[in-house]
Amino acid sequence: MSETNQRQGRREAPGTPRRVLRCIGRTLLAVLSVAAVLLAGLCMIMDEVFNGPSETARNRLTMSLLEASATKWVPAVFVGQETVDQIQAKVAADLPEGQSDPTQVVIRREGGLEDDEWAEHPDGLRVEEVHGDTYNAYVMLIRDPARVYLSPSSKSYSKSRPGTRITKQIETEGAVAAINGGAFFDNGTISPEVGSVPCGLVVSRGEVLWNDGSSYYGFAGFNEDDILVVSKKMSAAEAKEARIRDGCCYGPVLIKDSAVNEEAYNTNSGYNPRTAIGQRADGTVILLCVDGRQAGSLGATYADVIDVMVEYGAVNACNLDGGSSTVMLLRDEEGQVQTVNNVSLLQEEPRRMPTFFMVRPLDGE
């Protein structure tokens, strides 16, 4: 065989790098083409929902996407920011202005732990599971509201100082239980600034730590008498006048003076992981975390959360930050911290956040 034919033979031999690269290129092109078709189809479906005849479907999809960090920008692309703001504003429209009435709560300072409800829980803390059609949830009841307080990641917030993870914060505080707190800066990226600073008003141990003036549609905080105060808005001056010791912003307010927020109840808020705080007339604090975005638990709506709070006797309740922020921790009898709810499998550890509601141990624990 001539030298030329030998070279041609080498060029045509199967498995050469050029042929392999050609196969890889064609495969990638096919994958990208399929992805483009799927993306185009998804956009067409979402456009049909957002701009179709069903306002209910539009609102439910809008609220579901807004409550996820990675997709909160999507609704405005299809319906505009003004419409998005209108949909969000509706959930707070039903309740009257002003703060909840503290006289609706009468705390039993002495006794009570020997009754049937607390007979098996001498530490005054218990956790129960609740199941709905689309969700699994966990309710933590704390008999003494004086044990519940707001723990900040820092007393001097700054975007140059990342927030902390709840698993670290509970150890720093030495608390026996904890849930995530209020709103915080989140631009949908993985920047270290995400979770560094809160939004709205933050009060811890009677001190205003943050007040950026942002208009969040709910505030929840305990006053110096350990009564949970909820309000659609709360300024620093109002918090001082109301003697708020610990609180933060998110919302909406779900129950106020035993009245249900009907607008939030009837708004198609979407199915998502959720966190909420409430209080019974006897002072018992209700902490709620709902699993979501999972095969066995799609998530809950505001109506679902309100139903649970009503079932447990809440006279006041407010929605807190949810989604991938939703976490409930409890320290076991051996002193080890356990995660009560089921967080997303995509999260190796909890998000960094600036505020948390913590539960102090009993004296002597």
Side-chain angles (χ1 to χ4, degrees), residues 213-267:
S214 61
S215 181
Y216 257 79
Y217 47 85
F219 175 88
F222 293 91
N223 66 17
E224 293 175 1
D225 297 321
D226 305 321
I227 295 172
L228 182 67
V229 176
V230 298
S231 178
K232 289 196 289 186
K233 296 180 180 179
M234 180 74 73
S235 67
E238 290 170 335
K240 182 177 181 179
E241 184 177 355
R243 300 182 301 118
I244 300 297
R245 63 164 171 83
D246 292 282
C248 60
C249 291
Y250 201 80
V253 172
L254 303 174
I255 303 173
K256 179 181 174 185
D257 297 334
S258 298
V260 168
N261 183 341
E262 296 292 344
E263 196 64 50
Y265 193 87
N266 296 315
T267 294

Side-chain angles (χ1 to χ4, degrees), residues 326-342:
T326 293
V327 183
M328 177 182 286
L329 302 182
L330 178 65
R331 196 178 296 275
D332 62 23
E333 294 180 355
E334 285 72 40
Q336 300 300 310
V337 174
Q338 307 295 333
T339 302
V340 176
N341 64 313
N342 296 302

Side-chain angles (χ1 to χ4, degrees), residues 60-219:
R60 185 178 294 279
L61 181 59
T62 296
M63 294 301 294
S64 294
L65 293 173
L66 286 175
E67 292 166 351
S69 299
T71 58
K72 60 177 58 181
W73 56 272
V74 174
V77 173
F78 290 92
V79 297
Q81 189 60 47
E82 183 177 352
T83 300
V84 171
D85 292 340
Q86 291 172 354
I87 294 171
Q88 282 187 294
K90 286 185 65 177
V91 300
D94 182 69
L95 289 176
E97 300 292 335
Q99 302 168 19
S100 55
D101 180 5
T103 65
Q104 298 292 312
V105 176
V106 179
I107 300 172
R108 291 189 292 174
R109 294 292 184 183
E110 298 180 1
L113 293 181
E114 69 278 2
D115 61 26
D116 291 340
E117 180 181 4
W118 296 100
E120 297 181 3
H121 304 277
D123 61 347
L125 187 155
R126 73 179 194 269
V127 176
E128 300 179 357
E129 290 189 35
V130 177
H131 303 282
D133 292 338
T134 63
Y135 65 89
N136 300 320
Y138 304 86
V139 176
M140 181 180 292
L141 300 172
I142 302 95
R143 181 66 187 85
D144 182 3
R147 298 173 64 189
V148 183
Y149 66 102
L150 186 130
S151 171
S153 64
S154 172
K155 289 188 176 181
S156 180
Y157 288 119
S158 169
K159 286 188 177 180
S160 63
R161 183 181 297 109
T164 58
R165 305 187 195 280
I166 191 171
T167 46
K168 179 180 179 181
Q169 193 73 12
I170 192 173
E171 297 292 3
T172 299
E173 295 283 336
V176 296
I179 61 170
N180 59 291
F184 56 82
F185 173 79
D186 182 0
N187 60 2
T189 71
I190 58 173
S191 164
E193 293 184 356
V194 172
S196 60
V197 298
C199 298
L201 177 69
V202 172
V203 183
S204 178
R205 296 173 173 86
E207 180 182 358
V208 175
L209 300 184
W210 186 264
N211 184 25
D212 62 9
S214 61
S215 181
Y216 257 79
Y217 47 85
F219 175 88

